[in-house]
Amino acid sequence: MTTRKITKIICALAIASFLNAGNALAHQGTGHDHRSIPVGWTFDQKVADRIQRGMNEGNETVGLSGFEQKTLKEYGIQVGNRFKTRVGDQMIEVTRTSSGLHIEGPTLGHDDAPQWNLPMSSTHQVIKSSMRAAHPGHDHRHLDFEWVFSLDAQKKIANNLTGNNPSGAIGLSQGEQKMLQRYGIKVGNTFNTLLGGMAFTVQRTSMGLQVLKHVQGMPIAAVPGENVGRY
């Protein structure tokens, strides 16, 4: 990897760290951070169905599990933050609360280009699927979306790319593996992920990830705080 690419990765991670630190300070100073953040969030199907049921029943609050709350926090979404999410064919605005979500109601949809949504966004880029034979428990399809990992996972990938690890193998925690599973990403699947303004093709493995290649010239998603105000 060139020095220029390494510098881009380090700079992007530094910016993300700064933005997350700003969120943390706001949270500590007021108890809650009541800002509306300029990102959309795609919940996994389990949570999306829970939100839909709540809306159908006229409920304004939806509970989230400890794991689901932790996931939002790892991506910089603090208690009190307001953000957009799509449920079925409707774009709604929600606020993260200490117990889950408060449904604010329908809102105007934003440009649904990949750079506006976390942790995953669809892509129209066609990439040939793996021709390797599948074996039990593995699915070698290439998934048609871009994925943004949390800052901690991005650091693992960056350390792998900039360090002396020619294998490209990266370990993920049990929670990180669980999140991929919740979104339907199976062992053996390949997909594109953002790191430092570049897209990489990675494969999910039983231990974590395998970095396969760098993908040139693709529209890719942004970490929280980037492209502020550009809906």
Side-chain angles (χ1 to χ4, degrees):
M1 173 164 292
T2 67
T3 301
R4 182 180 178 184
K5 289 181 180 179
I6 293 172
T7 301
K8 287 176 69 177
I9 291 171
I10 293 172
C11 287
L13 290 171
I15 292 170
S17 298
F18 173 78
L19 292 167
N20 279 356
N23 258 349
L25 289 173
H27 181 74
Q28 291 172 3
T30 64
H32 295 104
D33 178 0
H34 293 290
R35 288 179 295 173
S36 180
I37 56 177
V39 296
W41 182 269
T42 299
F43 285 103
D44 65 72
Q45 195 60 52
K46 183 177 181 180
V47 178
D49 289 345
R50 196 182 310 154
I51 296 172
Q52 186 68 71
R53 285 196 303 271
M55 293 174 63
N56 293 343
E57 295 168 1
N59 297 329
E60 293 185 346
T61 58
V62 176
L64 294 179
S65 68
F67 172 77
E68 293 156 355
Q69 287 273 37
K70 182 181 179 182
T71 297
L72 293 179
K73 183 178 179 181
E74 287 177 345
Y75 280 82
I77 301 177
Q78 305 292 339
V79 171
N81 281 163
R82 181 180 293 192
F83 57 98
K84 296 179 181 180
T85 186
R86 187 178 295 278
V87 177
D89 295 329
Q90 188 176 34
M91 181 70 71
I92 64 172
E93 196 164 41
V94 298
T95 297
R96 184 187 164 201
T97 70
S98 56
S99 61
L101 300 171
H102 183 271
I103 300 172
E104 306 296 340
T107 186
L108 294 176
H110 57 72
D111 179 8
D112 200 24
Q115 64 265 30
W116 305 131
N117 217 53
L118 296 171
M120 64 187 298
S121 298
S122 62
T123 175
H124 301 295
Q125 176 118 353
V126 177
I127 298 179
K128 186 177 180 181
S129 299
S130 171
M131 294 293 102
R132 289 176 294 176
H135 39 282
H138 289 215
D139 177 356
H140 290 295
R141 290 176 301 160
H142 183 88
L143 304 179
D144 190 27
F145 58 74
E146 284 94 35
W147 180 269
V148 181
F149 284 99
S150 68
L151 184 61
D152 286 344
Q154 285 190 50
K155 287 179 179 177
K156 293 180 188 179
I157 299 172
N159 289 338
N160 175 282
L161 294 173
T162 58
N164 185 22
N165 184 3
S167 71
I170 299 164
L172 294 180
S173 69
Q174 186 176 21
E176 291 162 344
Q177 290 269 36
K178 180 179 179 180
M179 186 176 179
L180 295 180
Q181 192 69 30
R182 286 280 290 264
Y183 281 83
I185 303 174
K186 300 177 181 179
V187 171
N189 285 158
T190 60
F191 55 97
N192 297 330
T193 186
L194 167 74
L195 185 66
M198 297 179 290
F200 290 84
T201 298
V202 298
Q203 183 177 50
R204 184 182 170 195
T205 68
S206 58
M207 298 299 293
L209 299 172
Q210 181 77 33
V211 178
L212 301 179
K213 64 180 180 180
H214 172 225
V215 182
Q216 296 284 353
M218 294 183 59
I220 43 183
V223 295
E226 289 189 345
N227 302 313
V228 172
R230 291 185 56 191
Y231 275 111

